[in-house]
Amino acid sequence: ELKPKKAILTNMHNDLDYETVKNETPANVSPAYDGMVINFQNWLMIQAISTVIIPVFIIIAFGYFSTAFHFTKIKEIQFLTKFAQNIALPCLLFINIYDLDFYKVFNINLLLTFYISASICFCLGVLGGYYFFLKNLTSSIPIGFCCLFSNSLLLGLPITELALGSESLKSNYIIVAFHAPFCYLLGIS
């Protein structure tokens, strides 16, 4: 037996009375009418998440399997990494941060939310490294440092753009502009 949260009866014949059908059906079932707009907000959200997340995991899986099965050589990976980190990403950041109007985009609540969460991750990483692995606070700090550095650049930018559009990237660029100084200050001190 079907028990939908919400159902809409469509393809109704013109001799059915809307009010009669509406009164005879359960509260979660309603008859359709001409010009009715159906909100698929939840479905669209799931579809958008799938459209954004699945390609990221496909790329990660492709990279993993191409390395695991030796389709790519270490020198090729090193070249791509060096190009991305030394040329492509700095150019991308420079161009986009240069054009950014900090006064319009700057949102202290966004920064506080992001960096308080990052700081909590740092503390949890240090504590986890200390209590579960190393039993040495100094040696646990690099684990916390890794937890502190979220991938707001390599994953954050493409996911944000796919999910929310290119206009939403401005907030990410604000975070990226503060990211390294904040993380190094917290992680090293």
Side-chain angles (χ1 to χ4, degrees):
E1 182 178 28
L2 297 175
K3 294 183 181 182
K5 289 183 180 180
K6 186 171 184 172
I8 300 171
L9 301 175
T10 60
N11 200 17
M12 295 173 42
H13 196 269
N14 62 359
D15 62 349
L16 291 173
D17 181 60
Y18 177 84
E19 290 299 325
T20 304
V21 175
K22 184 177 179 183
N23 292 333
E24 292 177 355
T25 56
N28 63 330
V29 178
S30 62
Y33 55 89
D34 289 342
M36 181 179 198
V37 176
I38 301 172
N39 185 354
F40 289 102
Q41 189 69 25
N42 291 338
W43 171 250
L44 291 175
M45 183 178 68
I46 291 169
Q47 183 183 8
I49 290 170
S50 300
T51 305
V52 169
I53 299 299
I54 290 173
V56 171
F57 283 105
I58 289 172
I59 291 169
I60 291 170
F62 177 76
Y64 172 78
F65 286 115
S66 69
T67 303
F69 293 111
H70 305 291
F71 293 128
T72 54
K73 297 180 175 97
I74 295 296
K75 287 187 178 192
E76 294 167 340
I77 294 169
Q78 289 172 339
F79 172 78
L80 285 173
T81 301
K82 196 172 189 178
F83 172 78
Q85 291 179 349
N86 295 337
I87 298 171
L89 291 174
C91 288
L92 171 80
L93 290 175
F94 178 79
I95 290 167
N96 286 287
I97 291 175
Y98 176 78
D99 288 337
L100 195 62
D101 185 355
F102 277 87
Y103 292 109
K104 287 184 180 178
V105 181
F106 186 83
N107 182 343
I108 191 68
N109 292 330
L110 173 73
L111 291 175
L112 287 173
T113 303
F114 184 84
Y115 288 113
I116 288 171
S117 301
S119 300
I120 291 170
C121 290
F122 172 76
C123 293
L124 291 174
V126 170
L127 292 173
Y130 180 80
Y131 286 110
F132 296 116
F133 303 113
L134 304 170
K135 306 292 186 215
N136 179 341
L137 188 60
T138 305
S139 298
S140 298
I141 290 175
I143 293 173
F145 196 66
C146 291
C147 294
L148 171 66
F149 259 97
S150 63
N151 206 332
S152 58
L153 180 60
L154 295 177
L155 288 176
L157 292 179
I159 288 175
T160 301
E161 184 175 16
L162 285 171
L164 304 172
S166 59
E167 191 63 28
S168 64
L169 289 176
K170 293 176 181 178
S171 297
N172 276 45
Y173 290 125
I174 292 286
I175 290 171
V176 169
F178 287 94
H179 204 58
F182 173 84
C183 293
Y184 283 116
L185 178 69
L186 181 64
I188 293 174
S189 60

